[in-house]
Amino acid sequence: MNASIPMPRGGLWLRRFLAFLGPGYMVSVGYMDPGNWATDLAGGSTFGFTLLSVILLSNLMAIILQALAARLGIATGRDLFQACRDHYSRQVNFILWVACELAIIACDLAEVIGTAIALNLLFGLPLVLGAIITAVDVFVVLMLMQRGFRTLEAFVIALLVVIFLCFIVQMAITEPSVREILGGFVP
């Protein structure tokens, strides 16, 4: 999806700032998916807080890659695909396209399986039914896109608020000490 979102001109700086929060929250969904949560919970139950350094490093790498992609877009007005198409041969572009498609398939498969496992753990639903529900929610998101990007943003932000509240409840239940949390950031 390559589209421009109208930004308010003039007025309060807060209104202009809030216009950028929606796309920012849309990007953050990649860090909140059920596959990541299932992996994090399994790792946390086995190793406690000792893996926080891995999460910290992976998030720092993601921030660097996103900053580089943003700089490319700001400086050239092109996304990474367009820049690769301009600078590489057809054969290299084809190999890059296949690699990206395989990565997308792997990520989507992890999303479907992660959501099915989460629904199974939370509600006892069979895995096949969880996968079907996941497929249906894709169509719900596509229907929301028909109503406009801001509607989709509002829906995603509402889901992120629910995830945040669940995280707070989990932290309150586990009652980690400050020493455990800070010690987890040491590799």
Side-chain angles (χ1 to χ4, degrees):
M1 183 170 92
N2 190 354
S4 295
I5 306 298
M7 296 293 166
R9 303 260 184 222
L12 292 174
W13 69 271
L14 182 61
R15 183 166 181 218
R16 290 192 315 266
F17 175 73
L18 291 176
F20 287 98
L21 285 183
Y25 281 116
M26 296 291 287
V27 170
S28 72
V29 170
Y31 297 102
M32 300 292 185
D33 65 75
N36 285 350
W37 277 72
T39 304
D40 294 342
L41 289 174
S45 67
T46 305
F47 300 105
F49 293 97
T50 58
L51 293 179
L52 284 176
S53 60
V54 175
I55 294 170
L56 176 66
L57 290 174
S58 65
N59 280 312
L60 289 175
M61 287 187 281
I63 290 168
I64 291 169
L65 290 174
Q66 289 171 355
L68 290 172
R71 288 178 183 172
L72 175 69
I74 291 168
T76 66
R78 304 177 80 63
D79 59 32
L80 186 57
F81 168 75
Q82 293 167 334
C84 289
R85 186 181 59 204
D86 292 344
H87 296 286
Y88 295 124
S89 67
R90 282 182 74 90
Q91 293 83 12
V92 172
N93 278 318
F94 180 76
I95 291 169
L96 290 173
W97 173 72
V98 169
C100 287
E101 289 295 331
L102 290 174
I104 291 168
I105 291 168
C107 287
D108 287 344
L109 187 60
E111 298 295 329
V112 170
I113 292 171
T115 303
I117 290 171
L119 292 172
N120 177 271
L121 291 173
L122 289 171
F123 306 113
L125 295 176
L127 294 177
V128 173
L129 181 60
I132 291 170
I133 290 171
T134 304
V136 169
D137 81 6
V138 170
F139 290 108
V140 169
V141 169
L142 290 173
M143 287 183 346
L144 285 172
M145 287 182 69
Q146 294 290 328
R147 299 192 58 142
F149 193 74
R150 296 293 184 199
T151 303
L152 180 63
E153 281 180 348
F155 178 72
V156 169
I157 289 171
L159 291 176
L160 286 172
V161 167
V162 169
I163 290 171
F164 176 75
L165 293 174
C166 290
F167 178 75
I168 295 298
V169 168
Q170 286 178 342
M171 290 300 285
I173 290 171
T174 59
E175 298 176 356
S177 69
V178 173
R179 184 175 184 183
E180 286 177 313
I181 293 172
L182 295 179
F185 285 110
V186 177

